[in-house]
Amino acid sequence: MTNPVLAFVFPGQGSQQIGMLAEAAEAFPEISATFSQASSVLGYDLWDLCQNGAQEDINLTERTQPLLLTASVALYRAWQAQGGVTPARMAGHSLGEWSALVCAGVLQFEDAVRLVRERGRLMQEAVPAGEGAMAAVIGLDDQAVEDACASAAEGGVVTAVNYNSPGQVVIAGGAAAVARAIDACKAAGAKRALPLPVSAPFHTELMRPAAEKLAPQIEATVFRAPEIPVIHNVHAKPEADPSAIKALMVEQIYSPVRWTACVQAMAEAGTAQLVECGPGKVLAGLAKRIDRSLTAHNIETPAQMSEAVKSTAQ
């Protein structure tokens, strides 16, 4: 059964923590089964890594991406097993868009694990460590951030890359240009402009070589029309054609994440309730800043899962 006012959203990098989903794994067999499936593709024990590894190990991009994909898909499978209703639409933040596509039936989970591991590796390789940077800007409108980046570029690359909520934008590019843009944003009146602990400038033109290398692998993978509409990061619209979805997932690597527009599009389509399907509460928090009428749920723990299943039942 589909709930017409329910949307699922899937988090991206930054939500990973050592020990995540431990409580859920005790309650839901789908967690360990999904992690085992991913481990067989990756060639290492992903569950052991995220329970017993070091934070710096799971922060390596080529490990973070399959880890978060697996966590989100595992929770969605647990949701289904608990009798949770089917959402009317989905969206994922950056890497989370791959989780949405798997849960919407666009591609097989194992294929997605392979692709996002490679996506992470290529994105990290595209810019040598230390040469790229990202920073969060709080308290400026989008245009002011864009203007600050334009004035700070000085022939380098620095652009707005994550439009996360009104007044919260992430910028990225070359390290020196980002440092200049941080100063420019502060001068323009930003409440805060602070570097993020990320070494690669994701969603900038500097990622285009990674996209071009990943494109043939995406093209060779079977994609199907989505069973549930997915709102895409690149243009904040759904797409039904598998070939067009493949092109969007290549473009997404070097294009801004228009998250504010994605959430607004879901609200305009009738969404009143969101479930954040993955570790952490980042997207639930952003949703309330974007549209206060939205009710957001998390399902990371058995108690949260039970409450969300009941609250969204038709």
Side-chain angles (χ1 to χ4, degrees):
M1 184 173 63
T2 300
N3 181 339
V5 303
L6 178 63
F8 263 58
V9 292
F10 299 86
Q13 287 186 232
S15 294
Q16 69 277 5
Q17 293 293 333
I18 292 296
M20 67 187 198
L21 270 56
E23 196 180 342
E26 292 181 9
F28 309 127
E30 295 79 19
I31 306 295
S32 58
T34 305
F35 271 81
S36 294
Q37 203 179 350
S39 297
S40 67
V41 173
L42 295 167
Y44 59 85
D45 189 332
L46 187 62
W47 182 252
D48 181 65
L49 175 69
C50 81
Q51 297 304 305
N52 304 310
Q55 189 68 33
E56 53 264 33
D57 291 332
I58 66 168
N59 286 350
L60 290 170
T61 299
E62 68 179 277
R63 290 184 175 168
T64 310
Q65 296 201 17
L67 174 58
L68 287 171
L69 170 79
T70 302
S72 286
V73 172
L75 284 171
Y76 189 69
R77 290 172 173 177
W79 170 268
Q80 291 177 307
Q82 294 301 302
V85 294
T86 302
R89 53 199 67 86
M90 294 178 164
H93 191 289
S94 188
L95 175 274
E97 192 163 320
W98 285 98
S99 306
L101 292 178
V102 171
C103 295
V106 173
L107 76 164
Q108 295 291 327
F109 173 58
E110 293 96 331
D111 289 337
V113 172
R114 291 186 192 96
L115 285 172
V116 302
R117 173 178 58 184
E118 194 67 359
R119 180 181 184 271
R121 186 182 70 79
L122 291 169
M123 289 170 81
Q124 191 63 65
E125 282 182 359
V127 178
E131 291 188 16
M134 299 182 79
V137 180
I138 310 296
L140 278 188
D141 65 38
D142 294 352
Q143 189 62 54
V145 175
E146 291 163 8
D147 291 346
C149 287
S151 69
E154 296 179 14
V157 172
V158 58
T159 53
V161 294
N162 293 351
Y163 295 88
N164 284 336
S165 68
Q168 183 178 329
V169 178
V170 174
I171 62 174
V178 170
R180 291 193 296 270
I182 287 174
D183 291 339
C185 286
K186 288 177 179 175
K191 291 178 185 173
R192 279 185 291 164
L194 58 161
L196 295 174
V198 177
S199 57
F202 301 136
H203 301 290
T204 68
E205 274 294 320
L206 299 172
M207 290 290 114
R208 194 179 281 267
E212 290 171 350
K213 289 176 184 174
L214 190 64
Q217 296 178 51
I218 291 177
E219 185 54 42
T221 302
V222 175
F223 277 43
R224 299 174 182 83
E227 297 163 11
I228 300 166
V230 175
I231 309 299
H232 290 278
N233 289 177
V234 170
H235 57 25
K237 299 175 199 169
E239 180 53 68
D241 178 55
S243 296
I245 294 173
K246 287 181 177 183
L248 284 168
M249 296 313 289
V250 174
E251 191 178 344
Q252 189 231 41
I253 293 172
Y254 58 84
S255 300
V257 174
R258 301 190 179 280
W259 190 249
T260 298
C262 287
V263 174
Q264 288 170 337
M266 291 192 289
E268 288 165 11
T271 297
Q273 295 177 299
L274 288 181
V275 169
E276 181 167 3
C277 190
K281 298 179 178 178
V282 172
L283 299 185
L286 292 178
K288 298 301 288 183
R289 292 198 198 98
I290 295 167
D291 188 332
R292 291 186 180 178
S293 72
L294 293 169
T295 301
H297 306 275
N298 294 89
I299 57 170
E300 189 178 359
T301 68
Q304 290 173 335
M305 178 77 76
S306 177
E307 174 58 33
V309 167
K310 289 175 189 168
S311 298
T312 58
Q314 280 290 83

